[in-house]
Amino acid sequence: MSRSGRKFQGQRGPAAYPGPAWNARPWPGVSELSWAGRLHHLALRRRRLIAALFLCAAAAIAVEQLTPASAPTTAVLVASRDLPAGHPLTATDYRIQALDPAMVPDGLLDPHNPAPRDGRLSGPVRRGEVLTDAALLGSGLLTGAPAGSQAVPLRLSDPSTLPLLRQGQLVTVVLSSAEGLEAAATTVVLAEKVPVLWTPGDADAGEGLLPGASDTEPVVVVAASPEQAVQLAGAINRGKVFLILLN
């Protein structure tokens, strides 16, 4: 065998990589590196990353604590479009909307049962207006009136008064009558400061609040006490009925 061959046989290969020094031998004063020690050492090496994670978590908790909770709401019915007085309320005329409980009016209609099948509006309603029992013809027409108030239709002798009237207008009802053709007419106040509930101008063509009443007939509805209602009922048969408009 040649000299170079003998030299190659006696040469050893490279030594195996023993791994990182911190993993190969224990820390000074420690016989063996425990799992707790390894975790501690890893935490020291990744301390910046861990600190950033803790800061992100703290920021998220702070934002959650500072974000106000969702305010409670109440489901209400609002008109989906402008509706005329006397209009029969149907499911296409309203929509459900969430509203602050502090802004919910009294007499709110049940969103699941808004009106009877033949319910009609007692007055015009604007789009977005909350629907209450006062918006429907019937007992709701007198909502807010003194206990015992009654709705009384009046046929006026002067139709030119109608364009001057509006819902809520206070009027004094006057009856003018005479005993004969030659006798002087006498004027009697039948009711003072009664509010107007409905006028023909509030009615839609063919959908008036009063059966048989059109938007051209001089008929209005007022709220009166039981005593006033007796005086007002059928007043047109005793003479001429006029209204005095009040502030």
Side-chain angles (χ1 to χ4, degrees), residues 52-149:
L53 293 176
F54 275 113
L55 286 176
C56 292
I61 294 175
V63 170
E64 182 180 1
Q65 293 295 328
L66 294 177
T67 302
S70 299
T73 58
T74 301
V76 300
L77 289 180
V78 298
S80 57
R81 58 189 178 89
D82 291 345
L83 302 172
H87 179 77
L89 194 62
T90 63
T92 60
D93 298 325
Y94 58 83
R95 55 185 171 83
I96 298 178
Q97 180 174 313
L99 193 65
D100 185 350
M103 301 178 62
V104 175
D106 295 333
L108 190 67
L109 293 181
D110 184 357
H112 304 291
N113 184 25
R117 182 176 302 177
D118 57 349
R120 291 177 178 268
L121 295 177
S122 60
V125 176
R126 285 293 188 183
R127 181 175 64 89
E129 183 176 338
V130 178
L131 298 177
T132 65
D133 54 359
L136 298 180
L137 181 63
S139 59
L141 187 63
L142 295 170
T143 297
S149 296

Side-chain angles (χ1 to χ4, degrees), residues 19 27 112 177 189 221:
W27 291 83
H112 304 291
S177 60
V189 175
V221 181

Side-chain angles (χ1 to χ4, degrees), residues 5-241:
R6 289 196 301 271
K7 184 177 179 181
F8 180 78
Q9 284 184 347
Q11 189 177 6
R12 295 183 179 181
Y17 176 65
W22 62 268
N23 192 34
R25 60 178 182 272
W27 291 83
V30 180
S31 59
E32 185 179 355
L33 190 63
S34 63
W35 282 106
R38 294 185 180 185
L39 290 176
H40 177 69
H41 183 71
L42 180 62
L44 289 177
R45 294 182 61 188
R46 299 289 188 266
R47 59 183 180 275
R48 293 184 178 179
L49 177 60
I50 295 175
L53 293 176
F54 275 113
L55 286 176
C56 292
I61 294 175
V63 170
E64 182 180 1
Q65 293 295 328
L66 294 177
T67 302
S70 299
T73 58
T74 301
V76 300
L77 289 180
V78 298
S80 57
R81 58 189 178 89
D82 291 345
L83 302 172
H87 179 77
L89 194 62
T90 63
T92 60
D93 298 325
Y94 58 83
R95 55 185 171 83
I96 298 178
Q97 180 174 313
L99 193 65
D100 185 350
M103 301 178 62
V104 175
D106 295 333
L108 190 67
L109 293 181
D110 184 357
H112 304 291
N113 184 25
R117 182 176 302 177
D118 57 349
R120 291 177 178 268
L121 295 177
S122 60
V125 176
R126 285 293 188 183
R127 181 175 64 89
E129 183 176 338
V130 178
L131 298 177
T132 65
D133 54 359
L136 298 180
L137 181 63
S139 59
L141 187 63
L142 295 170
T143 297
S149 296
Q150 301 175 3
V152 183
L154 288 177
R155 185 175 294 275
L156 305 181
S157 300
D158 184 8
S160 63
T161 307
L162 295 176
L164 305 177
L165 298 176
R166 57 177 174 78
Q167 285 182 318
Q169 172 74 54
L170 295 179
V171 297
T172 293
V173 184
V174 177
L175 175 65
S176 178
S177 60
E179 295 296 333
L181 296 177
E182 301 296 333
T186 58
T187 301
V188 178
V189 175
L190 300 181
E192 293 181 323
K193 296 182 179 180
V194 292
V196 175
L197 299 178
W198 179 86
T199 70
D202 299 323
D204 191 26
E207 294 184 348
L209 292 177
L210 301 179
S214 68
D215 57 358
T216 59
E217 292 188 1
V219 178
V220 298
V221 181
V222 299
S225 66
E227 294 78 13
Q228 292 172 329
V230 172
Q231 296 295 323
L232 296 175
I236 192 67
N237 296 325
R238 305 193 303 270
K240 296 181 178 181
V241 178

